[in-house]
Amino acid sequence: MPKTENILIVGVGGQGTILASRVLSGVVLAAGYDVKVSEIHGMSQRGGSVITQVRFGEQVSSPIIQPGEADIILAFELLEALRALPSLAKTGEIIVNTQQMNPMPVVTGAMEYPQDALERIQEGAAATIALDALEMAMECQNPKGVNVVLLGVLSARMDIPEAIWLNVLKETVPAKFLDANLAAFAAGRAYGQK
């Protein structure tokens, strides 16, 4: 039986992680896979952690990714990527936005943001793709398009035709934001194909 693929999406509230998980699950479903999704919101409206687990394959019984079993971690923020490292498989890959968003303990001075976060992520992953997805989104006139830039990078790492990704984006993203999101997706996909 073909292996179940495990993708963990991590970020903070307001970054579009939920839309990203909807697009990803729609893509794998359209590609003919069984898919299960689990979302965990930690005060997502206030910048708290948001974690989505997406598992797909021929037949998937549970939406939960066990520690050490994530094939890919799609991280919208450095500290969230660092926190998610224990979930990554030994052969796993992290796609991480290098943006830093200070959690409340950092804002209040109770803790410091780890300055070596990216280095620790790179040490803990078999492969790392680190990019400034916010800057790429801004270049596409889409400051809220970090999620779609990261999906573009992810799409280049998966064996699913680009046409399926584009169709699902067209079905999921509101029409008035579609062109900007398609541009952000194309930029991310080109980056992922390097």
Side-chain angles (χ1 to χ4, degrees):
M1 181 172 153
K3 178 185 176 304
T4 297
E5 292 289 322
N6 299 310
I7 298 179
L8 190 67
I9 301 173
V10 297
V12 297
Q15 285 191 297
T17 54
I18 303 303
L19 177 66
S21 67
R22 286 192 186 127
V23 171
L24 177 57
S25 58
V27 164
V28 295
L29 200 60
Y33 294 102
D34 183 25
V35 62
K36 298 285 186 290
V37 179
S38 171
E39 295 173 355
I40 301 165
H41 307 256
M43 292 181 59
S44 59
Q45 298 304 311
R46 296 204 174 109
S49 295
V50 180
I51 301 165
T52 304
Q53 303 174 60
V54 180
R55 302 186 73 228
F56 64 96
E58 196 171 285
Q59 189 171 9
V60 181
S61 55
S62 166
I64 304 302
I65 298 172
Q66 298 301 323
E69 290 191 354
D71 298 297
I72 297 175
I73 294 177
L74 189 65
F76 287 46
E77 195 273 340
L78 277 173
L79 189 55
E80 295 301 322
L82 192 56
R83 286 181 185 160
L85 263 183
S87 297
L88 192 64
K90 288 197 183 331
T91 57
E93 175 177 27
I94 292 187
I95 300 167
V96 59
N97 175 24
T98 56
Q99 184 178 3
Q100 294 183 13
M101 298 181 79
N102 292 337
M104 197 49 70
V106 172
V107 172
T108 62
M111 68 173 275
E112 288 187 22
Y113 197 103
Q115 296 306 307
D116 62 346
L118 183 56
E119 290 79 9
R120 287 163 61 187
I121 291 162
Q122 290 168 329
E123 287 168 10
T128 305
I129 298 175
L131 66 150
D132 188 339
L134 178 59
E135 183 180 311
M136 289 175 71
M138 300 282 272
E139 287 170 5
C140 297
Q141 317 304 305
N142 187 5
K144 292 188 180 253
V146 167
N147 56 350
V148 185
V149 169
L150 291 171
L151 282 173
V153 177
L154 177 65
S155 76
R157 318 303 293 164
M158 296 175 67
D159 193 21
I160 295 176
E162 182 180 12
I164 292 178
W165 289 89
L166 296 175
N167 285 340
V168 172
L169 278 169
K170 288 171 187 170
E171 291 166 5
T172 311
V173 174
K176 65 181 176 178
F177 303 120
L178 184 59
D179 288 345
N181 278 285
L182 290 176
F185 178 82
R189 187 168 173 88
Y191 191 93
Q193 290 171 329
K194 287 181 184 176

Coordinates of all heavy atoms in Angstrom, one line a residue, residues 77-86 114 116-117 120-121:
E77 N 6.3 31.1 10.1 CA 7.0 31.9 11.0 C 8.1 31.1 11.6 O 7.9 29.9 11.9 CB 6.1 32.5 12.0 CG 6.6 33.6 12.8 CD 7.4 33.3 14.1 OE1 7.2 32.1 14.5 OE2 8.1 34.1 14.6
L78 N 9.3 31.7 11.9 CA 10.5 30.9 12.3 C 10.3 30.2 13.7 O 10.6 29.0 13.8 CB 11.7 31.9 12.5 CG 12.5 32.2 11.2 CD1 13.5 33.3 11.5 CD2 13.1 30.9 10.7
L79 N 9.7 30.9 14.7 CA 9.6 30.3 16.0 C 8.6 29.1 15.9 O 8.8 28.1 16.6 CB 9.2 31.3 17.0 CG 9.2 30.9 18.5 CD1 10.5 30.3 18.9 CD2 8.7 32.0 19.4
E80 N 7.5 29.3 15.1 CA 6.6 28.2 15.0 C 7.2 27.0 14.3 O 6.9 25.8 14.7 CB 5.3 28.6 14.2 CG 4.5 29.7 14.9 CD 4.0 29.3 16.2 OE1 3.6 28.1 16.4 OE2 4.0 30.2 17.2
A81 N 8.1 27.2 13.4 CA 8.9 26.1 12.7 C 9.7 25.4 13.8 O 9.8 24.2 13.8 CB 9.7 26.6 11.6
L82 N 10.4 26.2 14.6 CA 11.3 25.6 15.6 C 10.5 24.8 16.6 O 10.9 23.7 17.0 CB 12.0 26.8 16.4 CG 13.1 26.4 17.3 CD1 14.2 25.6 16.6 CD2 13.7 27.7 17.9
R83 N 9.3 25.3 17.0 CA 8.4 24.5 17.9 C 8.0 23.2 17.3 O 7.7 22.2 18.0 CB 7.2 25.4 18.3 CG 7.5 26.5 19.2 CD 6.2 27.2 19.5 NE 6.4 28.4 20.4 CZ 5.6 29.4 20.5 NH1 4.5 29.4 19.8 NH2 5.9 30.4 21.2
A84 N 7.8 23.2 16.0 CA 7.2 22.0 15.3 C 8.3 21.0 15.0 O 7.9 19.9 14.6 CB 6.6 22.5 14.0
L85 N 9.6 21.3 15.2 CA 10.6 20.3 14.8 C 10.5 18.9 15.3 O 10.8 18.0 14.6 CB 12.0 20.9 15.3 CG 12.8 21.6 14.2 CD1 14.2 22.0 14.9 CD2 13.1 20.8 13.0
P86 N 10.0 18.7 16.6 CA 9.8 17.3 17.0 C 8.8 16.5 16.2 O 8.9 15.3 16.2 CB 9.3 17.5 18.5 CG 9.8 18.8 18.9 CD 9.8 19.7 17.6
P114 N 14.5 33.5 20.1 CA 15.8 32.9 19.8 C 16.5 33.4 18.5 O 15.9 33.2 17.4 CB 15.5 31.4 19.7 CG 14.0 31.3 19.5 CD 13.4 32.6 20.0
D116 N 19.0 32.3 17.0 CA 19.6 31.2 16.2 C 18.5 30.3 15.7 O 18.7 29.1 15.4 CB 20.6 30.4 17.0 CG 20.0 29.8 18.3 OD1 18.9 30.1 18.7 OD2 20.7 28.9 18.8
A117 N 17.2 30.8 15.6 CA 16.1 29.9 15.3 C 16.3 29.2 13.9 O 16.1 28.0 13.8 CB 14.8 30.7 15.3
R120 N 19.0 26.5 14.1 CA 18.4 25.3 14.8 C 17.5 24.5 13.9 O 17.5 23.3 13.9 CB 17.8 25.7 16.1 CG 18.9 26.1 17.1 CD 18.3 26.9 18.3 NE 17.3 26.2 19.1 CZ 16.6 26.7 20.0 NH1 16.8 28.0 20.3 NH2 15.7 26.1 20.7
I121 N 16.7 25.2 13.1 CA 15.8 24.5 12.2 C 16.6 23.8 11.1 O 16.3 22.6 10.9 CB 14.8 25.6 11.5 CG1 13.8 26.2 12.6 CG2 14.1 25.0 10.3 CD1 13.2 27.5 12.1

